[in-house]
Every structure is written in structure tokens, then in C-alpha cells.
Amino acid sequence: MDSSARISSFVFLFHLLLLLCSLVSVSTSRATASPDYGSEKVSLDVYYESLCPDSVKFIVDNLIELFEGGLISIVDLRFVPYGNARINRNSSITCQHGPNECLLNTVEACAIHAWPELTGHFPFIFCVEAAVYERKYTQWETCFEKLGLNPKPVYDCYSSGLGKELELQYAAQTNNLQPPHKYVPWVVVDGQPLYEDFENFVSYICAAYKGSSVPSACSKSKSLSSI
């Protein structure tokens, strides 16, 4: 499947499932005086870098599982685009895969800032990483048109220096991880790193979820005795 078809399929599925989750939430709230289900969501933090093959594969091939079987309704997903970069003495940033990775890390940080809701920044990040997956990362700007997004907030963020400040914040978050990250993607569920088992993240999410509204994805997931 080429990147355009992959992106179109993902965006359709993404918005359809968010709509279904919204309808289910409204129906539940009308039927009962339910608690705040948002407080029961499981945190899923993805520490990554934009040109790392393993990071790209995880975002494009694996994270799609969040949108199957209603799983996204119980997950609070957060992206941290920094990875194995390092800060130099003059506060400049050197990225593992070179300047293009620094560019895309910052662009994706700006997208998260410009569109803080998951519905805004996730399709964009997915689109950019799908372009990387297809070895077409120089065409990342086409994602604005493909998704109908105004590029100005991202361009302004990048050119003003705000993007670098965001990256320095992500650097601090990444460097302060306990235990320290060893590679990327570094996937963390409710504060617990999954180490090399990160592709099995669905099982960890289902095991960590304490709410009563269990999505169908968890009934199909392999149970874990502990995280």
C-alpha cells in the first residue's frame, strides 16, 4: 500500500472510531450517572525520533491497533519527538539521524503544540511518518494539503524558535526518564516502560485499565499477569 492510500485509510478509520467513541460516551452518560471515564484512562507515552526505522514502523504499523475494538476510548496517548538526540554546549541539538531528523522532530513538536487534541496532531504525525516509511520524507509538507490543515501555525512555530524550545522541553522529559531510556521507540504504559516488548502494548494497556467500560479489543488481547 503506498503512502497516500495508507494515509487516506488511516484518516477515515481514525475519525470514524473517534465518532463512535463519542456516541458511545453520550449514550452512556444519558443512561446512567457514570463517573468521569477520562480519569480512568491508561497513559501511553511514546518517546521516539522521526527518522528512526523502529519508531516509524511502530507509529505506522503498530499504533493503528489503538483504533481497533474501541481501544482509543481508554487511552491517553502522548508523543515525545526527541529520542536519542543530544544537546550541545551552545544549546543546539544534534539528532541521531542528522539535520533532517531534527527538522521533522521539531515540525512534529510544533504540530502537537498547534493542535493539542489527538484529532489534530495524530493524523499529521502519522502522515509524516508514513512518508518516512515510504522513503519520501522530503515530501512531508504535502501532509497539510492531504489532511486539510493550515500550515501557518506549524511554520510560525518553527521559524519563531518556539519549536526549538519545545524540543528542549522534550529533551528534558526524555533525559529525566526513570529508568533511563535505552533505545527508541521507548514505550511507557502508566509510567512503566515496556522495554523490548513494546509491540505488545495493547496487552499492557488492557491489563492496566481499571475502568468498567472494557473495549472489545481487550477481550481479544492476551492477558498478562502483571506489567
Side-chain angles (χ1 to χ4, degrees):
M1 181 183 295
D2 62 26
S3 59
S4 296
R6 186 189 297 272
I7 292 162
S8 298
S9 176
F10 168 76
V11 171
F12 174 78
L13 179 62
F14 179 86
H15 288 290
L16 176 62
L17 288 174
L18 285 181
L19 175 61
L20 290 175
C21 288
S22 175
L23 292 174
V24 169
S25 176
V26 170
S27 175
T28 303
S29 64
R30 287 176 178 174
T32 63
S34 61
D36 179 7
Y37 287 100
S39 65
E40 298 173 336
K41 286 189 174 184
V42 178
S43 66
L44 174 63
D45 299 332
V46 179
Y47 295 82
Y48 73 103
E49 53 195 22
S50 59
L51 295 185
C52 165
D54 288 338
S55 292
V56 174
K57 184 178 184 301
F58 181 71
I59 291 172
V60 175
D61 285 345
N62 299 118
L63 275 187
I64 193 70
E65 294 179 51
L66 285 176
F67 305 96
E68 299 171 355
L71 192 64
I72 190 63
S73 65
I74 66 167
V75 173
D76 183 11
L77 174 63
R78 185 172 69 105
F79 288 105
V80 184
Y82 180 78
N84 295 325
R86 67 177 187 272
I87 301 174
N88 304 313
R89 289 186 178 180
N90 61 356
S91 295
S92 64
I93 298 174
T94 299
C95 294
Q96 183 176 13
H97 298 92
N100 286 322
E101 181 165 78
C102 281
L103 167 65
L104 292 184
N105 284 352
T106 306
V107 163
E108 293 181 12
C110 284
I112 295 168
H113 181 267
W115 308 301
E117 295 297 324
L118 191 65
T119 51
H121 65 260
F122 192 11
F124 181 80
I125 290 174
F126 182 92
C127 180
V128 172
E129 294 305 315
V132 176
Y133 192 93
E134 298 289 338
R135 300 183 180 181
K136 299 176 181 178
Y137 67 85
T138 58
Q139 300 176 27
W140 67 269
E141 290 174 283
T142 62
C143 288
F144 294 118
E145 183 178 355
K146 289 176 181 177
L147 299 171
L149 295 171
N150 178 7
K152 189 174 186 302
V154 172
Y155 288 154
D156 288 350
C157 170
Y158 186 88
S159 62
S160 69
L162 174 58
K164 180 181 177 181
E165 292 303 315
L166 294 172
E167 276 298 286
L168 291 174
Q169 293 174 25
Y170 284 140
Q173 292 174 29
T174 303
N175 293 334
N176 288 330
L177 278 167
Q178 291 298 329
H181 85 287
K182 298 181 178 180
Y183 38 75
V184 290
W186 189 252
V187 181
V188 181
V189 172
D190 267 5
Q192 300 298 315
L194 305 190
Y195 297 96
E196 294 181 357
D197 201 27
F198 63 86
E199 291 185 350
N200 196 31
F201 70 99
V202 172
S203 294
Y204 289 89
I205 290 170
C206 293
Y209 181 59
K210 305 304 180 186
S212 58
S213 223
V214 180
S216 61
C218 288
S219 64
K220 301 175 184 177
S221 175
K222 179 177 66 177
S223 62
L224 294 173
S225 57
S226 63
I227 294 181

